[in-house]
Amino acid sequence: MNRMKVWLMVVLTVSIALFTACSSNNSGQKSSGNDAGSSNSEETVTINFFDWTDEQPYMNQVVSAFEEKHPNIKVNQNYVPTSDYIQKILVNLSTGGGDMDVFATQSTSNLAEYISKDVLEPLDDIAGSEALAGNKDTIEQLRFNDHIYGFPYRTSKWVLYYNKDLFDQAGIPYPDNSWTWDRYAEVAQQLSSGSGQDRMYGSMSYQSNNTWWRVLANIQGVNNPLVPEELETFKKAAEYYYNLTYTHGAQQPFGELVGDAGSDFSSRFLQGKTAMMWNGDWAVQMLNDEIQNNGVELNYDIAPLPKWEGSETTTTGSFAVIMVNKQSKQMDAAKKFAEFVASEEAAKIFVRNGLLSPWGTEEVKEAFLDSVTTPESVGVFSDPYVVMSQVPMDPLYNQGIKIVEEETSLYFLQEQSLDEAFQKIKDRIAKEVK
Amino acid sequence: MAKWKSYGIAYLFLAPSLIGLAVFVLYPILYSFYLSFMKWDGLTPMSFIGLSNYKDLWTDETFKISLTNNLYYTLVTVPITIVLSILLALLMNYKVRGIQTFRVLYFFPNITASLAIGIIWAAMFTQYGPLNTILRFFGYADPPAWLASTTMALPAIMLVSIWKGVGYNAVILFAGLQGVPRHLYEAAELDGANRFKQFIYVTLPGLSPVIFFCVVMGVIGSFQVFDTVMAMTQGGPGRSTNVLVFHIYNTAFQNYNFGYASAMSYILFVIILVITFIQLKMQKRWVTY
């Protein structure tokens, strides 16, 4: 009996030892990788790069180009599902963040948040480097507290999409850069007809808690609801969007656009039952993919966004930003990689994948126009209109905009008035955002 | 000494699961209690703020809305689910052809991912979706906007929760039905009780421990509802379907206010504890073992 107990103890001890050995082995592997890097410049250094899954196809190409240029730096790519990405980064940073050297974000408000939490390495020393010279203006836009903490490497722009056939049928000339939002509403109304489920709409609406209406404020340089003066412009934009739906009857009512039914704007546009929509450059890829690969028939083109009476044509967009973790143990290599992602060389890779780059050089423009040939006026993306940022550099922005979404969605669903909605926004921001 | 030795061996055997429990359950519970007195964003050093988080709850309008929504949700879903489950369990008890298949089918919603259920139901609830098409067919010209309406969105979620919960509870109640002694029915029949009376005086008392289990678990589950809300409405329109766990999730993982979220979790814990305690006390009045 005693012998059996002894055996039992041996088995249990061995199994516990194995269990702990397995778990420590993991961290052992990781740290050995880091050690190898720091010891000698001749040896290969490995850096860990974190990004969300949507970026994988083109980031793979950027990483390959970087590794080719820097054979002694290996970039370990970690792609996290988009919905979990921000949380994953938070976990990485809160647990010391030692295993994450470089990471990306698609919102400048997140950049501001990371800066306020003091987790980013200032990049001032390389921000003025020759490799980034052509990207300098955009980089400067992300200056915070006199420092540069992140490099913009990809951008987006909103334009006006329209169904050419519907314009032709109605005998209305195509939109151009002379259009104002009043003209847009007028034409949208003219192009709306029918009733019920089969009604044709002049303009595309989206879910009630959408971001689209805010574009109308964004193009006026207004993006932060936490600034009381900016709320007025947001209010006017919301009212315009509401009127487009209920006064002009030019947009599908928001009550019909719940859940996936509301978010699927591209298929609604492809069905040819909506004449116009304003949207980001990503819609080109979505529409072209359906037209070229799935045989959907749609004759569309793009134009610059309409302007408000008395102002110049502008557009809006946001930046994807690359940052270096302050805790990185491979600082030199990490900075080199961040610099490369924001360089002209990487910019060409992005545009060849149909994406927009903050780089405005002729070479980058040409590469873009070579890769994206449809629609006809795709050059609008390269036109030198001022791009207003959609998202402010404010760490509290996400909290504020959530309140705006909650209250305006009730306005768009006709459950509260415009004044009520904005009074509540003002009150709730004062009380809840901290 | 010998006793200690045998206990020691027992604990050694229990160790793997006890360690797991301590690390993954006990530690987070205690740690979040500690966090509830802190201000912490997950990155910068935390600071002790005493009872501030708990005090803030009294003025947090979203918390009040979430709590009210949750109570409404519980009061509607639990009773309806239980009543329907009992009826379904009785039907399952009939020995007809293919009944096994039905028993499996009714359990199906319970093994389907909540997110998938949410997405499918969200499509069912659209303005021109199947549900409203049926309502229009039956002459209801102006069917509700369901998920786009502040008054109908929560009932829509309740409907899905009930649909999902009935199968699960029915299977448990069906198992309970097998435990009601046959001879009691025979005795009741001899005494002249009809089917309805047999149900009231034999079946229900016999099932009461199982019903009690279903009610307690149902109430706890209803206070923890999250996935259906996340998949169908994300708390909207406005805050009309915001429930406690959803508010906790937003506070912690959207606003990075972990201290405040922990305080809310503890309030939720106390609410569930008190309700469960009351239920345990009340069971003497209606549960027969």
Side-chain angles (χ1 to χ4, degrees):
Chain A
M1 188 64 195
N2 263 339
R3 269 181 76 168
M4 206 176 142
K5 276 187 187 169
V6 171
W7 269 113
L8 245 167
M9 294 292 277
V10 170
V11 170
L12 281 168
T13 321
V14 169
S15 60
I16 287 171
L18 273 175
F19 180 72
T20 38
C22 286
S23 55
S24 64
N25 197 21
N26 270 338
S27 51
Q29 273 176 352
K30 278 178 189 165
S31 61
S32 69
N34 285 336
D35 289 343
S38 56
S39 55
N40 192 326
S41 61
E42 292 291 305
E43 282 178 37
T44 304
V45 173
T46 303
I47 54 169
N48 272 310
F49 166 56
F50 276 77
D51 203 350
W52 62 98
T53 38
D54 296 349
E55 297 228 295
Q56 190 164 1
Y58 41 88
M59 273 302 181
N60 272 336
Q61 300 167 26
V62 173
V63 168
S64 302
F66 174 77
E67 286 179 341
E68 209 168 287
K69 205 173 170 187
H70 300 273
N72 61 338
I73 303 175
K74 192 189 170 310
V75 181
N76 197 1
Q77 304 175 65
N78 301 275
Y79 294 98
V80 181
T82 313
S83 54
D84 302 334
Y85 182 67
I86 293 174
Q87 278 158 39
K88 175 66 187 167
I89 295 299
L90 185 75
V91 171
N92 282 353
L93 292 169
S94 63
T95 50
D99 285 338
M100 179 172 74
D101 300 291
V102 183
F103 62 110
T105 177
Q106 55 182 336
S107 163
T108 40
S109 77
N110 288 339
L111 169 68
E113 191 158 347
Y114 298 135
I115 295 172
S116 73
K117 296 190 186 342
D118 196 23
V119 294
L120 299 181
E121 176 71 12
L123 302 174
D124 303 274
D125 51 340
I126 48 170
S129 75
E130 210 173 304
L132 299 178
N135 196 1
K136 203 167 185 322
D137 292 345
T138 334
I139 291 173
E140 276 306 313
Q141 286 188 39
L142 302 185
R143 188 174 280 280
F144 198 85
N145 294 343
D146 268 345
H147 291 290
I148 300 289
Y149 292 93
F151 296 144
Y153 61 92
R154 205 164 53 68
T155 183
S156 57
K157 274 183 193 173
W158 285 67
V159 293
L160 180 63
Y161 291 76
Y162 61 95
N163 183 325
K164 286 168 90 172
D165 290 342
L166 294 180
F167 272 78
D168 291 343
Q169 279 163 28
I172 298 172
Y174 298 144
D176 56 32
N177 64 359
S178 70
W179 270 40
T180 60
W181 285 106
D182 289 341
R183 170 84 181 137
Y184 179 89
E186 192 186 310
V187 173
Q189 189 169 3
Q190 280 174 32
L191 290 168
S192 304
S193 61
S195 63
Q197 211 178 344
D198 299 318
R199 184 171 167 81
M200 301 278 294
Y201 290 101
S203 174
M204 175 79 71
S205 60
Y206 203 48
Q207 291 157 306
S208 60
N209 57 350
N210 68 70
T211 57
W212 291 19
W213 67 271
R214 300 205 300 261
V215 166
L216 304 176
N218 297 153
I219 54 170
Q220 300 175 72
V222 165
N223 57 15
N224 194 351
L226 303 177
V227 179
E229 302 81 62
E230 299 202 352
L231 269 184
E232 265 316 298
T233 312
F234 275 116
K235 192 176 175 181
K236 282 184 190 135
E239 190 177 20
Y240 175 89
Y241 197 56
Y242 177 96
N243 286 339
L244 212 47
T245 311
Y246 298 107
T247 312
H248 302 291
Q251 290 196 142
Q252 198 171 358
F254 301 100
E256 295 178 10
L257 301 169
V258 172
D260 283 353
S263 62
D264 192 9
F265 63 86
S266 64
S267 68
R268 280 188 283 143
F269 191 67
L270 286 161
Q271 280 166 9
K273 282 162 74 178
T274 313
M276 295 184 283
M277 67 172 174
W278 60 92
N279 214 315
D281 52 282
W282 50 84
V284 166
Q285 228 166 2
M286 293 167 90
L287 297 174
N288 286 356
D289 190 48
E290 289 295 320
I291 294 166
Q292 288 156 10
N293 302 331
N294 297 334
V296 177
E297 278 181 32
L298 180 84
N299 190 10
Y300 83 102
D301 204 356
I302 57 171
L305 284 181
K307 56 193 166 194
W308 290 104
E309 200 71 58
S311 20
E312 290 294 307
T313 299
T314 57
T315 183
T316 185
S318 55
F319 300 113
V321 184
I322 189 113
M323 299 155 290
V324 174
N325 181 5
K326 203 178 168 183
Q327 309 268 346
S328 169
K329 296 182 190 85
Q330 309 294 348
M331 199 52 86
D332 282 347
K335 283 185 173 178
K336 266 186 195 141
F337 181 61
E339 183 187 34
F340 184 80
V341 172
S343 71
E344 187 172 19
E345 214 174 327
K348 284 183 203 157
I349 297 174
F350 292 127
V351 296
R352 266 186 233 121
N353 281 278
L355 301 154
L356 299 185
S357 162
W359 280 79
T361 56
E362 284 307 315
E363 267 185 80
V364 174
K365 275 186 198 168
E366 269 170 36
F368 175 74
L369 294 174
D370 280 348
S371 65
V372 188
T373 49
T374 331
E376 200 183 325
S377 310
V378 72
V380 166
F381 287 120
S382 312
D383 287 347
Y385 298 115
V386 177
V387 186
M388 303 286 187
S389 177
Q390 261 187 299
V391 182
M393 290 275 284
D394 186 335
L396 294 175
Y397 169 77
N398 289 338
Q399 286 187 44
I401 211 67
K402 187 162 192 318
I403 293 173
V404 171
E405 278 170 12
E406 283 174 354
E407 298 301 336
T408 50
S409 75
L410 295 182
Y411 167 56
F412 292 137
L413 289 168
Q414 298 187 296
E415 298 227 11
Q416 68 183 1
S417 73
L418 179 67
D419 286 337
E420 256 179 291
F422 276 81
Q423 191 55 50
K424 280 190 191 162
I425 290 171
K426 215 179 272 177
D427 296 345
R428 284 186 61 192
I429 283 177
K431 205 170 145 190
E432 295 172 27
V433 178
K434 46 193 163 194
Chain B
M1 190 63 189
K3 213 174 179 183
W4 190 92
K5 264 188 180 170
S6 61
Y7 277 136
I9 293 283
Y11 279 119
L12 261 178
F13 274 108
L14 289 172
S17 54
L18 279 182
I19 291 170
L21 193 76
V23 173
F24 295 110
V25 179
L26 201 62
Y27 174 70
I29 289 177
L30 295 174
Y31 190 62
S32 69
F33 185 63
Y34 168 74
L35 276 184
S36 71
F37 301 102
M38 300 285 167
K39 183 172 174 56
W40 189 46
D41 61 14
L43 291 179
T44 46
M46 51 178 91
S47 55
F48 179 75
I49 52 166
L51 290 170
S52 280
N53 284 330
Y54 290 95
K55 271 189 225 153
D56 286 349
L57 281 172
W58 292 102
T59 52
D60 180 353
E61 204 193 334
T62 310
F63 178 74
K64 282 181 205 157
I65 292 172
S66 310
L67 183 60
T68 317
N69 284 343
N70 234 143
L71 287 172
Y72 176 33
Y73 176 88
T74 303
L75 286 174
V76 174
T77 55
V78 177
I80 295 182
T81 307
I82 300 292
V83 171
L84 289 178
S85 305
I86 294 173
L87 294 175
L88 191 64
L90 290 173
L91 287 177
M92 281 181 179
N93 214 13
Y94 277 102
K95 288 180 179 58
V96 289
R97 250 175 94 94
I99 189 70
Q100 294 282 10
T101 318
F102 281 103
R103 284 174 197 158
V104 172
L105 282 180
Y106 283 120
F107 200 70
F108 235 74
N110 209 59
I111 53 164
T112 311
S114 300
L115 202 67
I117 289 178
I119 290 168
I120 298 290
W121 273 94
M124 303 260 282
F125 281 122
T126 51
Q127 194 68 18
Y128 296 102
L131 204 64
N132 279 357
T133 308
I134 293 169
L135 286 176
R136 280 195 195 92
F137 179 77
F138 285 107
Y140 198 67
D142 192 20
W146 298 109
L147 302 183
S149 143
T150 47
T151 46
M152 290 311 290
L154 195 56
I157 291 175
M158 290 171 183
L159 190 72
V160 177
S161 300
I162 292 167
W163 173 81
K164 199 180 158 210
V166 164
Y168 171 76
N169 285 304
V171 168
I172 293 176
L173 289 162
F174 170 72
L177 278 178
Q178 314 309 309
V180 184
R182 290 288 116 199
H183 66 262
L184 292 181
Y185 287 105
E186 284 160 21
E189 212 171 325
L190 283 176
D191 287 342
N194 60 22
R195 295 301 283 266
F196 180 70
K197 287 207 163 155
Q198 284 178 28
F199 171 71
I200 298 293
Y201 295 108
V202 180
T203 312
L204 276 186
L207 262 187
S208 61
V210 186
I211 297 176
F212 176 68
F213 170 80
C214 290
V215 171
V216 171
M217 298 311 282
V219 169
I220 293 175
S222 71
F223 270 99
Q224 294 173 340
V225 58
F226 173 77
D227 35 15
T228 324
V229 172
M230 185 72 177
M232 287 176 68
T233 60
Q234 305 195 341
R239 289 177 283 182
S240 61
T241 55
N242 217 322
V243 285
L244 286 175
V245 179
F246 190 73
H247 187 35
I248 292 171
Y249 163 81
N250 270 334
T251 308
F253 299 107
Q254 303 292 317
N255 297 345
Y256 308 118
N257 197 342
F258 291 99
Y260 190 50
S262 298
M264 274 193 276
S265 309
Y266 265 86
I267 295 295
L268 175 62
F269 168 68
V270 169
I271 292 171
I272 295 178
L273 190 73
V274 169
I275 293 179
T276 310
F277 184 75
I278 294 171
Q279 285 176 320
L280 285 170
K281 282 278 158 201
M282 299 278 281
Q283 66 163 321
K284 284 183 204 137
R285 300 196 182 177
W286 65 279
V287 180
T288 44
Y289 288 101

